[in-house]
Amino acid sequence: MNNYVRIFDTTLRDGEQSPGATLTSAEKLEIARALVRMGVDVIEAGFPAASPDDLEAVRRIAIEVGQPSGSSEQVNSAPPIICGLARATKNDIDKAWEAVRHARRARIHTFIATSPIHMKYKLKMDPEQVIERAVEMVSYARALCSQHPDADVEFSPEDAGRSDPEFLHLVLGEVIKAGATTLNIPDTVGYTTPDEFGALIAGIIRHTPGIEKAIVSVPCPNDLGLATANTLAGL
């Protein structure tokens, strides 16, 4: 299993940010069932704190898609992990947990920005504060997941593609210690080329303390038409 490439699908969350792509709960459920038939390993079902409707949609997916079905249409023997996105705040994490906890395999995916421009102008936090918040919120999410027999925590350093690599390695090492078992390394603004993104991931593998305890995930946007190339370079 060490070389198994997991497919993490975020159609129901990031995909809905495309203009005109708003989905009803019924449509989200239909797509989630199709993803199961395709054998997707992790379904990021939504951003529960965004609205009561999104929380309810994620909850329905967790209940109706995130349980073993015994159906011949289900490619994998186990149901997919059902994941909810949350900013690094207790309110977001609580709402994500409220939605995904009904799944057989549940996941809280929390994130905070780590690039200098985002930390300074969006978060208005210094690097030490960002590390402190990341560790605090991953620990909080991990404590919620401890109530569930098969739940875990994913962490994303937002705008990793423009983050200082040494700072990135430090943050990731700390959240691993706090309980994150998947590290999602987003090129949030579609900034990197394949060589740059491949080098970023290679550096994380080499220099992040405790990286052997985590799965590394590579979500690449298509702003420059390089999503597939960057994903392959990361892998």
Side-chain angles (χ1 to χ4, degrees):
M1 290 295 288
N2 288 340
N3 292 322
Y4 178 73
V5 178
R6 295 158 178 82
I7 302 298
F8 177 105
D9 188 281
T10 187
T11 302
L12 299 176
R13 201 277 304 168
D14 206 7
E16 201 182 19
Q17 294 183 11
S18 300
T22 302
L23 300 168
T24 66
S25 292
E27 289 168 335
K28 286 191 171 189
L29 195 57
E30 183 179 355
I31 292 170
R33 287 177 171 142
L35 294 173
V36 171
R37 291 195 296 272
M38 289 190 288
V40 165
D41 300 284
V42 186
I43 297 175
E44 188 166 66
F47 194 165
S51 70
D53 285 346
D54 210 35
L55 191 154
E56 178 59 20
V58 176
R59 191 185 72 84
R60 282 188 64 193
I61 290 168
I63 293 169
E64 298 185 36
V65 178
Q67 295 290 337
S69 68
S71 168
S72 60
E73 291 184 332
Q74 186 166 304
V75 174
N76 299 327
S77 57
I81 292 169
I82 305 299
C83 175
L85 187 69
R87 291 165 295 193
T89 69
K90 286 187 175 181
N91 179 66
D92 274 31
I93 290 169
D94 285 340
K95 284 182 165 55
W97 180 244
E98 182 182 344
V100 301
R101 65 186 178 86
H102 304 282
R104 173 66 182 81
R105 302 160 76 205
R107 173 174 294 177
I108 298 170
H109 178 191
T110 190
F111 70 94
I112 193 168
T114 53
S115 66
I117 189 169
H118 277 204
M119 288 190 290
K120 182 175 181 180
Y121 294 106
K122 185 174 79 167
L123 299 178
K124 296 178 171 54
M125 296 169 70
D126 62 37
E128 290 73 21
Q129 290 173 311
V130 167
I131 293 174
E132 183 179 355
R133 174 73 65 81
V135 169
E136 180 186 3
M137 292 300 107
V138 168
S139 298
Y140 182 71
R142 180 64 257 172
L144 292 176
C145 289
S146 68
Q147 304 169 21
H148 191 291
D150 195 5
D152 59 19
V153 178
E154 180 166 348
F155 173 79
S156 288
E158 186 184 10
D159 204 16
R162 296 189 295 178
S163 298
D164 174 70
E166 290 188 6
F167 180 65
L168 204 52
H169 306 155
L170 177 60
V171 173
L172 295 175
E174 290 301 310
V175 298
I176 289 170
K177 286 193 287 187
T181 53
T182 296
L183 305 178
N184 191 64
I185 314 299
D187 181 29
T188 302
V189 296
Y191 175 82
T192 62
T193 62
D195 285 349
E196 291 169 334
F197 191 72
L200 177 70
I201 300 301
I204 287 169
I205 299 295
R206 282 198 302 267
H207 300 299
T208 299
I211 193 67
E212 68 281 355
K213 300 174 186 175
I215 294 165
V216 176
S217 179
V218 290
C220 301
N222 207 39
D223 300 58
L224 301 180
L226 294 172
T228 301
N230 281 349
T231 298
L232 293 173
L235 291 174

